[in-house]
Amino acid sequence: MPHNSTTPAPRRNRKRTVLASAVLVAAAATATFALTLNGTDSHTPEPAARPAPSATTSAPGDTPSPDNELAALARREKTDPQATGRADAPVVLIEYSDFQCPFCGQFARETQPALQRSYVDQGILRIEWRNFPIFGKESQQAALAGWAAGRQHKFWEFHTLAYSEPHKRNTGHFDQDQLTTLAREAGVEDLDRFRADMTSAAAHKAVQRDQEEGYALGVTSTPAFLVNGTPLLGAQPTDTFRKAIDAAAKAARP
């Protein structure tokens, strides 16, 4: 969404919600995942001025309770190519990720397939991807490429290939030629359209929308998740996601 630095954006008619300073602990380090919904658009600095990204995981019990306004961020668009699972699933997991993030790759390779089998395929869970490119030029290019692959219904195939193995960041793995190769391997049929979609204003707008949503929440590292409004940060053990999803599904029952 475009910002106007001189004219205040309209406020929503709802009480300001703040989920701040949720302490997330990993090994010998700690980080804060401050989630703020204030119903107001505000000017945001360029990505280079953002806090440095980090990879942390939260200890069980450290995350805030579910919040209805955060849960409402689930888009539930039936035709969303960057979502998997029923649009009316009782639980929605929103994932803010970067294709160059090693911990995002760990989640994609180890945890997501298990959640797909146990929850998505059973109609319990919907996973909605949000592009959150924070590791430089190739992160941005990969995000645009993923969106373009989704235009031909091959986002998740592209996603699987992009995360198939770890690699060093910004070393050419996600340059234009390699992204086109990934798209071809993912089954994207019209590569000319793929390249055009990747550089389109619509692609940049879609990626910016996801990124601004994450920054508005206070996301500074990847991967970051919301499970029906409950935040989780980092490459958590699969059991941590299972517990969060089970709890959310139980709470969603009539």
Side-chain angles (χ1 to χ4, degrees):
M1 179 182 298
H3 293 94
N4 186 323
S5 60
T6 60
T7 304
R11 295 178 179 274
R12 298 173 185 167
N13 293 323
R14 59 173 69 180
K15 182 179 179 181
R16 171 178 289 190
T17 300
V18 179
L19 298 180
S21 301
V23 180
L24 306 174
V25 182
T30 60
T32 299
F33 180 23
L35 292 173
T36 305
L37 276 183
N38 58 17
T40 305
D41 290 334
S42 59
H43 177 72
T44 52
E46 294 298 319
R50 305 289 185 183
S54 61
T56 58
T57 56
S58 59
D62 283 347
T63 55
S65 299
D67 180 271
N68 289 336
E69 291 189 60
L70 298 182
L73 290 173
R75 295 170 186 170
R76 295 187 178 274
E77 298 169 0
K78 291 183 179 180
T79 59
D80 183 356
Q82 296 184 167
T84 180
R86 289 170 40 181
D88 63 350
V91 183
V92 177
L93 182 152
I94 300 174
E95 175 187 359
Y96 299 88
S97 280
D98 183 314
F99 279 116
Q100 291 200 105
C101 164
F103 296 93
C104 301
Q106 181 180 332
F107 174 83
R109 291 187 297 272
E110 299 175 8
T111 298
Q112 185 167 340
L115 300 183
Q116 181 77 34
R117 292 190 299 270
S118 298
Y119 297 100
V120 177
D121 292 347
Q122 305 304 317
I124 299 169
L125 178 68
R126 175 178 175 85
I127 298 175
E128 295 187 356
W129 167 276
R130 302 286 193 270
N131 282 296
F132 200 72
I134 55 176
F135 288 110
K137 179 180 179 180
E138 290 189 33
S139 292
Q140 179 74 7
Q141 290 178 167
L144 295 168
W147 184 89
R151 298 282 286 177
Q152 298 186 53
H153 309 290
K154 294 297 180 181
F155 170 78
W156 290 107
E157 290 83 353
F158 177 91
H159 171 279
T160 298
L161 288 171
Y163 280 135
S164 61
E165 59 185 21
H167 62 272
K168 291 184 179 181
R169 294 193 287 265
N170 298 310
T171 56
H173 189 82
F174 287 142
D175 64 17
Q176 178 67 60
D177 290 341
Q178 290 299 318
L179 289 170
T180 302
T181 298
L182 282 177
R184 181 186 299 112
E185 293 175 352
V188 174
E189 294 185 359
D190 189 338
L191 294 177
D192 287 337
R193 177 188 172 190
F194 167 79
R195 284 186 282 264
D197 283 339
M198 183 179 167
T199 58
S200 67
H204 286 273
K205 183 177 180 180
V207 171
Q208 183 182 23
R209 175 194 182 191
D210 289 352
Q211 196 168 30
E212 288 186 352
E213 180 181 287
Y215 279 132
L217 294 174
V219 176
T220 60
S221 62
T222 55
F225 306 89
L226 292 172
V227 181
N228 272 18
T230 298
L232 291 174
L233 184 64
Q236 302 280 346
T238 301
D239 282 348
T240 299
F241 286 94
R242 290 185 183 276
K243 290 177 182 177
I245 294 165
D246 288 342
K250 182 178 180 180
R253 292 172 187 161

